[in-house]
Amino acid sequence: MQFVDIKNDIAFRKIFGNENKKGILISFLNAILHLENDNRIQSIIIANTFQLPILLNYKASIIDVKAIDFKGNTFIIEMQVADVIGMDKRLLYYTSKEYSQQLVSGDKYTELNPVIFIGIFDFNFTAGTDYFSHHAICNVKTQERIIKDMDFYFIELPKFNKIAAELDNITDKWVYFIKEAENLEVIPDNVDDEGLIEAYKYANKNTWTKAELDAYDYAAMREQDGRGRIAKAEQKAEERGLKIGLEKKEIEAVLGMNKIGLPKEKIAEALNIPLERVIQIVENHERGS
């Protein structure tokens, strides 16, 4: 078998956002939220079912799947491959928006149902070392929860370092699937959850149509282009910072030598810079610029 990269936009939506394969998403949610017995999700409506994008208009950014269970709870599942400025505010805004839009004019606040955000990040988002964390609104001192309708679950893939033999619970096995499937050739022996087995089978490239594979490859190229632009911007910023640092040291050296009365020609010779540059630095300093 050859599995797709689950972190790819098309792959993530196809596997977790498919109305015909709802058992996959149900199994994932039950595992990640540690739901047991009567609290387990039995049925779900996927609000945005999987569709191939129109390639010319496709934008690779945030991957999300939204679903509603039989109790009316809304689940937002995102796969974010790169950190962005204001990520914390964006996910809070998005979740709050989903919460408030449940009501129309005349509805009662008591009709509002919980919204649960699950963020799968291919970067470190929190300061802790655990790959999985649960965040909620509570009393900072006592941990009492009065406001219960919003929960945030974060899965940080770089912090997950277990190998197949070390997967001892269903949450580990799901995260391992998301992070490592593209590097595997067979389904791990210790996978016994029906939903997860179905996810592996559905992630098999040999079962995909040509159109789906083309869209998958295109999404990968767009993601790589985005990473390349970020890397280039970081490189330019680093080079600019280095240049500014060197210029500052150069100015400090020229002014220091000039202060002790060293001739400008000697300063230029000692620092291996043009005499005109030495004169410019001294004159700018004397003018106060």
Side-chain angles (χ1 to χ4, degrees):
M1 291 184 183
Q2 184 180 6
F3 301 107
V4 295
D5 177 5
I6 313 303
K7 300 182 294 296
N8 176 285
D9 189 349
I10 298 300
F12 192 88
R13 288 182 185 273
K14 175 178 167 64
I15 293 168
F16 290 101
N18 197 306
E19 185 70 20
N20 296 321
K21 299 289 182 179
K22 290 191 290 187
I24 293 175
L25 183 57
I26 290 173
S27 172
F28 173 76
L29 291 174
N30 282 329
I32 296 302
L33 302 178
H34 304 130
L35 301 179
E36 298 180 349
N37 303 322
D38 293 341
N39 291 322
R40 289 179 65 83
I41 297 171
Q42 303 295 333
S43 63
I44 204 164
I45 298 172
I46 298 178
N48 47 346
T49 55
F50 171 72
Q51 291 180 333
L52 288 177
I54 299 173
L55 295 186
L56 292 178
N57 296 325
Y58 176 73
K59 180 180 178 182
S61 56
I62 295 165
I63 306 162
D64 64 275
V65 171
K66 186 174 78 171
I68 303 171
D69 72 4
F70 65 101
K71 294 180 180 179
N73 300 321
T74 297
F75 302 91
I76 300 170
I77 306 98
E78 287 193 359
M79 173 67 235
Q80 180 73 2
V81 297
D83 198 0
V84 294
I85 296 174
M87 180 66 181
D88 54 337
K89 296 181 183 298
R90 193 203 61 75
L91 66 87
L92 182 60
Y93 170 78
Y94 189 19
T95 306
S96 301
K97 187 176 180 181
E98 288 291 337
Y99 186 71
S100 63
Q101 286 183 343
Q102 295 179 52
L103 295 186
V104 296
S105 179
D107 287 346
K108 299 178 181 179
Y109 293 122
T110 53
E111 297 176 7
L112 287 166
N113 292 307
V115 176
I116 297 93
F117 176 91
I118 300 173
I120 307 166
F121 303 139
D122 200 20
F123 53 88
N124 292 334
F125 187 56
T126 67
T129 58
D130 293 337
Y131 79 84
F132 180 81
S133 58
H134 177 199
H135 304 256
I137 300 171
C138 65
N139 183 312
V140 174
K141 183 177 181 180
T142 67
Q143 302 301 304
E144 179 186 15
R145 288 194 65 184
I146 299 296
I147 303 173
K148 301 179 181 180
D149 274 5
M150 279 191 187
D151 286 87
F152 300 86
Y153 295 83
F154 301 143
I155 298 171
E156 300 168 76
L157 297 180
K159 297 177 182 179
F160 183 84
N161 299 306
K162 293 186 177 183
I163 62 175
E166 297 173 332
L167 308 178
D168 53 10
N169 60 67
I170 186 59
T171 304
D172 283 353
K173 294 175 183 179
W174 268 109
V175 177
Y176 182 81
F177 164 72
I178 294 170
K179 183 176 182 179
E180 299 292 347
E182 63 175 323
N183 301 316
L184 305 177
E185 296 181 352
V186 296
I187 301 175
D189 293 336
N190 57 2
V191 174
D192 51 10
D193 179 84
E194 291 185 6
L196 182 51
I197 292 173
E198 186 70 14
Y200 269 106
K201 292 179 179 179
Y202 213 46
N204 182 1
K205 276 188 176 183
N206 295 327
T207 66
W208 285 39
T209 66
K210 183 180 184 303
E212 289 173 335
L213 289 173
D214 286 345
Y216 169 83
D217 290 338
Y218 182 77
M221 286 192 301
R222 288 293 296 268
E223 179 188 327
Q224 186 59 40
D225 287 345
R227 289 179 184 270
R229 284 192 293 272
I230 293 173
K232 186 65 176 179
E234 290 175 344
Q235 180 184 0
K236 287 183 177 180
E238 184 178 347
E239 290 173 350
R240 183 171 180 272
L242 179 60
K243 182 179 180 181
I244 292 173
L246 290 174
E247 288 179 352
K248 183 179 179 181
K249 290 182 180 298
E250 180 183 80
I251 292 171
E252 291 173 348
V254 169
L255 295 178
M257 292 180 181
N258 182 67
K259 187 175 183 180
I260 63 176
L262 198 66
K264 294 181 178 59
E265 293 79 2
K266 293 294 184 182
I267 296 176
E269 182 179 349
L271 297 178
N272 193 29
I273 60 176
L275 176 60
E276 292 78 6
R277 174 62 176 158
V278 174
I279 295 172
Q280 180 188 38
I281 291 173
V282 173
E283 291 180 348
N284 287 343
H285 177 70
E286 291 175 347
R287 288 197 300 266
S289 58

